[in-house]
Amino acid sequence: MLRIRSSLRSAAALLRAAASSQPCVRLSSSSQQEHRTFYEFRTYSIQPHLNAAFLKLTNEKIHLRTAHSQLIGYWSVEYGGLNKVFHIWKYDSYSQRAAVRAALSQDPIWLKDYVSVAIPMLVSQDNEVTYLVPWSHLQSPPQEGGVFELSSHLMRPGGPAVWGDDFQAAVTSHDAPGYGKLLGAFHSECGLLNTVHALWWFQSADQRAEVRHRSHSDARLVSAVRSCVGHLSSQENKLMFPCSFSPMK
């Protein structure tokens, strides 16, 4: 009996030693953040017959909103969703966003001239909190005009510890001369988790179509995408045109 107990203690000690020698794997649905800055993605669906009126109103009154926080870009969705607008707002922290929301709720001109008129025009509103992935920086398009693409990828659970390197390789392989221009890569923090977004710029919708066709026969791109696709649950995209009042255009 004493020999059995001694053997069990020895086996347990060996298991503990083996476990302590293994690298610690972080199972997380998002990347660790080095700063608090985040980007709020907002998507509004507009009643079809009021789409033009909503855009006109927003063009006239957006200054009331941008007086409170930074607007990155505001787009009208052309392909991948009709009668929708997509916009990105930058915040330094959650407390800053809360303060902005509180200030807006007490701004009588904003409420009277915009909110009370715009809300009845909408069918739905959706938002998402995102962070730039560690290897990405928000960039401006090389020139004004063109078409923007928001490519959204729902990854399998496990987080960047599982699929981060393959996703980075797939995205950055397309960010090359003759292809699209990557303006930023983001991952979700609030909203549909395990989602990563890539914001792209192309000279035109036709140029994007030509790039897509060419990429299918580019061995470098095909290899990078093939390594990432096993981590992918689904994806969708939107082609968008910047509104006249959009800072990014």
Side-chain angles (χ1 to χ4, degrees), residues 18-246:
S20 64
S21 67
Q22 297 298 315
C24 179
V25 177
R26 177 171 56 85
L27 297 180
S28 170
S29 62
S30 61
S31 303
Q32 292 180 335
Q33 297 303 314
E34 297 179 356
H35 50 76
R36 299 185 299 170
T37 299
F38 67 86
Y39 298 84
E40 182 179 7
F41 285 11
R42 283 184 163 251
T43 304
Y44 297 168
S45 295
I46 308 162
Q47 296 188 52
H49 67 291
L50 296 175
N51 189 66
F54 177 85
L55 292 174
K56 180 176 183 294
L57 174 69
T58 304
N59 180 50
E60 294 170 351
K61 304 299 182 181
I62 193 67
H63 67 280
L64 299 173
R65 178 62 184 82
T66 54
H68 292 270
S69 63
Q70 183 181 355
L71 174 64
I72 298 299
Y74 205 114
W75 297 267
S76 177
V77 179
E78 183 70 15
Y79 303 100
L82 297 177
N83 303 301
K84 291 185 177 183
V85 292
F86 171 75
H87 33 129
I88 302 176
W89 299 84
K90 180 181 178 181
Y91 295 98
D92 296 329
S93 64
Y94 285 98
S95 57
Q96 187 220 352
R97 183 184 182 277
V100 168
R101 297 283 288 175
L104 287 169
S105 69
Q106 300 299 317
D107 186 335
I109 299 177
W110 166 251
L111 296 174
K112 175 179 176 293
D113 291 359
Y114 186 77
V115 174
S116 64
V117 183
I119 291 298
M121 298 181 178
L122 300 181
V123 176
S124 65
Q125 296 174 284
D126 185 42
N127 75 335
E128 182 179 351
V129 172
T130 72
Y131 290 94
L132 283 168
V133 299
W135 48 267
S136 177
H137 301 281
L138 191 62
Q139 301 187 63
S140 298
Q143 64 188 58
E144 289 193 1
V147 63
F148 293 74
E149 177 181 10
L150 181 69
S151 179
S152 301
H153 311 261
L154 178 61
M155 311 301 288
R156 297 187 186 279
V162 175
W163 45 255
D165 290 344
D166 288 335
F167 177 78
Q168 179 180 353
V171 170
T172 55
S173 67
H174 289 78
D175 185 23
Y179 288 92
K181 174 63 177 176
L182 179 66
L183 303 180
F186 308 80
H187 71 89
S188 63
E189 179 71 13
C190 295
L192 186 60
L193 297 180
N194 298 302
T195 302
V196 281
H197 307 276
L199 181 63
W200 299 90
W201 177 88
F202 299 90
Q203 292 178 356
S204 67
D206 286 324
Q207 189 244 347
R208 177 194 174 274
E210 189 275 328
V211 163
R212 289 281 293 173
H213 178 75
R214 178 154 37 90
S215 68
H216 295 158
S217 58
D218 187 322
R220 179 181 60 86
L221 270 62
V222 169
S223 176
V225 170
R226 184 174 293 148
S227 297
C228 182
V229 74
H231 304 296
L232 190 65
S233 291
S234 64
Q235 65 185 100
E236 65 175 359
N237 68 338
K238 302 179 180 68
L239 293 189
M240 314 176 298
F241 291 103
C243 296
S244 60
F245 52 86
S246 175

